[in-house]
């Protein structure tokens, strides 16, 4: 091979390596958002089931989720109380945050017995999760029955 052919070959290989690296980094960011959504959906279903089944049989109560920018909190009762030791705070992974919280009072409350959403308002029924590194966003919307109607 001549020197010019070697230089061209190294340039082609460097370009291929760059594209491969960029595409692999993007692929690593997507699973973080998807995994966070899967966990949140599971927690939403579990809190609704607790409200419907009357967890704490001696004193059944509503259950809900309180949203803040980098965490969400699972709670028991009709109103979120930050000082309640029974709360479970779930931190979002680094680079993932709630960019919009449309639920009234930043909380999604499932009523005891029925599991319906307390004070449901069709215009205030979603949260938006965002990957701050890639800018990718996903919106989770629920209906008055507490069922997730879309993740887009």
């Amino acid at each position: 091979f001549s020197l010019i052919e070697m230089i061209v070959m190294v340039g082609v290989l460097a370009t291929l390596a760059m594209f491969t690296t960029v595409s692999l980094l993007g692929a690593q960011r997507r699973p973080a958002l998807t995994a966070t959504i899967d966990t949140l959906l599971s927690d939403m279903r579990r809190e609704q089931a607790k409200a419907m089944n009357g967890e704490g049989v001696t004193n059944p109560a509503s259950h809900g989720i309180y949203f803040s920018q980098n965490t969400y909190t699972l709670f028991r009762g009709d109103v979120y109380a930050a000082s309640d030791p029974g709360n479970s705070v779930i931190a979002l992974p680094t680079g993932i945050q709630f960019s919009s919280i449309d639920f009234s009072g930043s909380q999604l409350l499932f009523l005891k017995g029925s599991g319906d959403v307390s004070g449901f308002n069709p215009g205030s029924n979603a949260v938006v999760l965002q990957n701050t590194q890639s800018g990718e966003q996903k919106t989770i919307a629920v209906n008055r029955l507490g069922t997730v109607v879309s993740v887009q």
Side-chain angles (χ1 to χ4, degrees), residues 11-12 27 31 37 49 56 59 67 76 82-83 94-95:
V12 168
I37 289 171
N59 188 17
F67 299 93
R76 182 178 190 273
S83 61
T94 303

Side-chain angles (χ1 to χ4, degrees), residues 39 41-51 63 74:
T39 302
L41 293 176
S42 175
D43 287 339
M44 289 169 70
R45 284 186 213 103
R46 186 171 46 251
E47 290 304 295
Q48 184 181 32
K50 287 179 184 178
H63 286 263
L74 309 178

Side-chain angles (χ1 to χ4, degrees), residues 47-55 60-63 110-116:
E47 290 304 295
Q48 184 181 32
K50 287 179 184 178
M52 292 171 70
N53 296 331
E55 184 176 279
S62 297
H63 286 263
F110 299 106
L111 297 172
K112 68 179 173 184
S114 69
D116 291 351

Side-chain angles (χ1 to χ4, degrees), residues 54-135:
E55 184 176 279
V57 177
T58 57
N59 188 17
S62 297
H63 286 263
I65 302 175
Y66 177 81
F67 299 93
S68 59
Q69 186 174 13
N70 297 310
T71 64
Y72 63 92
T73 305
L74 309 178
F75 67 93
R76 182 178 190 273
D78 293 330
V79 179
Y80 168 70
S83 61
D84 186 340
N87 291 347
S88 296
V89 178
I90 290 86
L92 297 178
T94 303
I96 305 292
Q97 68 180 18
F98 290 106
S99 62
S100 176
I101 303 163
D102 294 336
F103 295 114
S104 176
S106 295
Q107 68 181 20
L108 174 61
L109 183 65
F110 299 106
L111 297 172
K112 68 179 173 184
S114 69
D116 291 351
V117 175
S118 175
F120 179 77
N121 180 347
S124 299
N125 64 330
V127 291
V128 179
L129 277 162
Q130 178 180 25
N131 182 323
T132 58
Q133 296 169 342
S134 69

